[in-house]
Amino acid sequence: MPPAVHAILVARSTPHAAAQLERTLEALRAQERPVDALTVVVCGPAGPLRAVIDASGAEGAIEAPAGISFAAAVRLAAGRVPADRAVWLLAHDTSPEPGALAALAAALERAPSVAIAAPKVVDAADPAVILSLGVSMTRFGRTVPLANGEFDQGQHDGDDDVLGADVRGLLLRSDARAHLLPDPALAGADEGLDMGVRARLAGRRVALAPGARLHAPEAGAAGLPGRPMARAYAVRTAQLHRRLAYAPAWAVPLHWLSLLPLALWRTLVHLVAKTPARVPAEWAAALTVMARIPAVARSRGEIRAIKSVPWSQIAALRATHGQLRERYDPGGGEPVVRRELRFFSGGGAWAVLAALVVAVAAFLPLLAWPVLGGGALLPLRDTVAGLWDDAGYGLRSLGIDAPSAADPFATLIAVLGSLSPARPSFAIVLVWVLALPLAVLGGWFAATRVTERSGVRVAVGVLWALAPTFLTALVEGRPAAVLVHILLPWLFFAGSVAHRSWGASGAGSILLVAVLACAPSLAPALAVLWALALLLAIGFRARRGVARVLWLVIPSILFFAPLVQAQLSRGTPWALLADPGRPWAGGEAASPLRLATGFPTADPGGWGALLAWLGAGEATPGAWVPLLLLPLAALALAAPLTPRWRAGVGAVVIATAGLVAAQLVAGVQVATSASAPVPVWPGSALSLAWLGAIAAAAVTLDAGILRRGAASAAAVLTVVCVAVVAMPALTAVARGDARLTNGPASTLPAYVTARAADEEDLGTFVLSAQADGGVAARVVWGASETLGGQSTLRSTDPDVDEADERLAEVATDLVSASAGDVPERLSEAGVRFVLLEAGAGPETDASRTRRLEAITAIDQRAGFVRVGETAKGVLWRLEADPQPRPALDDRERATARLAATTQLAAMLVALLLAVPTFASRREARRTPRVVGRGYEEAKL
């Protein structure tokens, strides 16, 4: 005789629940095998559903709290069900087809060993799609659905025995249901799987009834939550709870202790897998399960009460590797639309090789130089540890100021110097020699986001390497500007597709930190471009795209936060625009009109100096040299008029942002060097403008508005014209017109350098006679003034604080005949040597007089021993031993640890996101490399 069936229907009081409940009740009344009794559990206010429930004929209705889970609601109603009745679990949004209950009851009747009969759950929106038909799990408890998302073609109708199933629509045998009710501790996931495991351990099984079809939404009243974060939390909480509930007693404490380390490990896994949204859910689930020890004990007690067979009975129904591969790597899906890169066959490699040949010819003497000097260049620390000391929060290598934050540029220099650990300074020499081929390489890869044409890519790479601002930076010795020009195309390459993937977003965020570290003056322009990208992602309603674009700026914010806080606290926000590294004004600045043509100096491209060297007198190339850039400008301005106008407009916006930024920062003086103001160099902003211009030109050449022959001629003409502009810079080293020099290996005398090798924090008081007769003073710590040891906080400080006053007083007393305890004060500050620098250029009468007076005054002062005259100047040693430099106090050490930990964490997350995986590479192959061509933005 068929058992009596008691349906438990859980209804949530939502705006649309009444209509859904009415459909479900209608489906129950239409069953071929009618339900014997019905109990309704209303989660929330019952008022909106009262009329529907009263008309349903239910034997009773229970009002429960709105936040109660489906499992808890079922257990609440199960106490009202007689022991001899089977229980059918339903929700208000699950509608069984007329033959569903009959098929489920038949499955129970066929075999006494069947404790649970499971229906085929299909999508209410599309009944041809299976939502669930059986569930399994791996050895480590991961849930594996067996048929989810497949089209229902009867392919699984022959399946019978499964480990578990979706909890919706399950029919529980009367004599087994007491210990098989869903577990409320599972947080809304895996209830049906857990019920099946317990049935197996009781010597019973779960049988599929494919003929019983149940219509349900994918995320419903009894399904997984619809929001991805809530879904991830529910799934992970259920998995961890089951792990503790199923483990042997001796292993439970070990599993419990491993929850937080496991959450940390899985955080790294999620970042590598490009699923950072699951990280908060991972930690929330771990903390929840750790806190719910009573729930774990209750679940283990229920398993103990019913268990009659060993756990080995479960093994046969666990998911196999083959099933996992079939479910998660089917090998089908969207077609591969990305073409081959063609770096070698398309001429990219040959362009890089040609650039290397040109670079060796242009910078041939540099190959024999161990250290590069001149302009804004300085040597690096001798050790990798010293490089990273300069990059951290603490005492700076210049001045006697309090500890402060380092410029992010120091971190970039530390990374660069670490690539040549034996001779860190030689890394800068390699940058100069390889700058042209690296620029061609970066420009070529940036062009792959704009065009598929190999010739256009090569042209873009060459144009990027021959940019006037880049060559000027190479000739003048501006390391930050050289590095930012090398990095910008890679930022474009990654940032332009950051909305598509977490890998590109992670790489772009790292590159953005590096670019801003080299050129903080680019921050306003890049912030505008980032805001526009964010608005576009929001406009396309791409939730994941918005999160990826948002992440781009997070590491930069964390890296610059200490510096920003320091500048804002002293009221100098504009000082954040200062160029990092050695403050150096350089040559004559360009006029606003000259900047608008793309040249950062008054002499466009160096043609004035070249013509003078050739004996052309006072020839001024200012009028005709910018005309050589007209072909590039014409191609760039035509980009918005092409069929690919969106890409063209985007490139023109980048160029405009760079030009506006160059005009705004030109002439802004926030730093000083000795007594001379140092303006912000606009060349970095012009590099951004040049990037936008050549990208726009590439769009025009690629869009097809020019015939292939005309497009090739236009590209060749543009490259030739820019190459002509570049000729003076490429020959500057051979003509002796570059500011680059061989060294020095140290800015201090060799005697000081030798002592610094044995004496930690050796201080040197450096004096420089100024052209107006004044004296500039600074304190240098260690063997030399270094590039990574520079600080914009020091060079942009407009106030005279106590340390400055003390330094000025000591310098004044030292170079004058006044009496005073100068040696004692210098020793207290930790100074061992005093150096009066030799003039770098022609001396004025006032500076020469001041220098000679200072030598005489110091020679006559007690407490100083003259070491001698060196190439760096006159050196004295203090007779008294200096006091050690003050160490960081507890608060300063805590600040240093916080800054380092925060920045390292941000960089680690970005690196893990940037690491490519098989899945990310496969997804990338399904999207075109060129941005904005043939790609459905709605798929972001």
Side-chain angles (χ1 to χ4, degrees), residues 356-377:
L356 178 61
V357 173
V358 173
V360 170
F363 301 105
L364 183 61
L366 275 64
L367 295 174
W369 296 354
V371 181
L372 195 60
L377 288 161

Side-chain angles (χ1 to χ4, degrees), residues 121-359:
V121 183
V122 298
D123 193 344
D126 184 3
V129 176
I130 300 173
L131 285 186
S132 179
L133 186 61
V135 178
S136 183
M137 68 176 181
T138 65
R139 178 183 177 186
F140 297 102
R142 176 185 176 184
T143 304
V144 181
L146 300 180
N148 292 30
E150 298 183 15
F151 283 100
D152 185 10
Q153 299 173 333
Q155 69 271 35
H156 297 291
D157 286 359
D159 297 347
D160 180 37
D161 206 10
V162 292
L163 183 57
D166 194 308
V167 72
R168 293 173 289 187
L170 293 184
L171 183 62
L172 310 183
R173 185 183 290 275
S174 59
D175 61 349
R177 64 179 175 82
H179 296 285
L180 296 183
L181 293 174
D183 189 349
L186 293 173
D190 296 351
E191 294 105 326
L193 174 61
D194 178 66
M195 293 163 65
V197 169
R198 281 185 278 150
R200 260 307 148 172
L201 294 175
R204 314 295 281 272
R205 61 191 184 91
V206 179
L208 292 177
R213 288 169 55 89
L214 184 79
H215 296 240
E218 184 175 2
L224 287 171
R227 293 182 296 110
M229 183 74 73
R231 178 184 292 256
Y233 168 76
V235 169
R236 186 57 178 163
T237 299
Q239 183 178 352
L240 294 178
H241 177 83
R242 288 189 292 106
R243 183 170 299 175
L244 294 179
Y246 298 167
W250 62 267
V252 173
L254 300 179
H255 281 303
W256 188 87
L257 292 173
S258 70
L259 289 179
L260 291 183
L262 185 61
L264 178 60
W265 167 252
R266 284 179 60 87
T267 294
L268 303 180
V269 172
H270 285 313
L271 294 175
V272 173
K274 313 300 179 287
T275 55
R278 297 184 182 179
V279 172
E282 184 71 41
W283 286 94
L287 293 173
T288 299
V289 174
M290 290 186 72
R292 294 196 314 191
I293 297 177
V296 174
R298 185 187 65 247
S299 299
R300 294 181 61 84
E302 291 184 354
I303 292 176
R304 249 190 336 268
I306 199 174
K307 184 173 179 291
S308 61
V309 298
W311 280 94
S312 58
Q313 296 294 319
I314 304 290
L317 295 174
R318 286 197 179 113
T320 64
H321 290 294
Q323 288 174 311
L324 288 176
R325 284 195 300 268
E326 184 179 352
R327 289 296 303 167
Y328 297 104
D329 186 23
E334 300 176 36
V336 175
V337 299
R338 180 167 292 190
R339 301 179 182 178
E340 293 296 327
L341 194 60
R342 303 195 309 277
F343 177 67
F344 292 94
S345 62
W350 293 106
V352 173
L353 183 60
L356 178 61
V357 173
V358 173

Side-chain angles (χ1 to χ4, degrees), residues 799-813:
D799 300 325
V800 179
D801 56 18
E802 182 181 349
D804 294 328
E805 292 178 354
R806 192 171 12 142
L807 201 65
E809 290 174 0
V810 172
T812 301
D813 292 344

Side-chain angles (χ1 to χ4, degrees), residues 58 281 333 515 545 549 649 851 903 908 912:
V515 166
V549 175
V649 168
R851 186 172 62 84
Q903 294 171 358
L908 177 61
L912 292 175

Side-chain angles (χ1 to χ4, degrees), residues 36 76 153 156 260 282 295 388 431 513 575 843:
D36 296 286
L76 194 63
Q153 299 173 333
H156 297 291
L260 291 183
E282 184 71 41
W388 288 102
V431 168
V513 172
E843 283 187 309

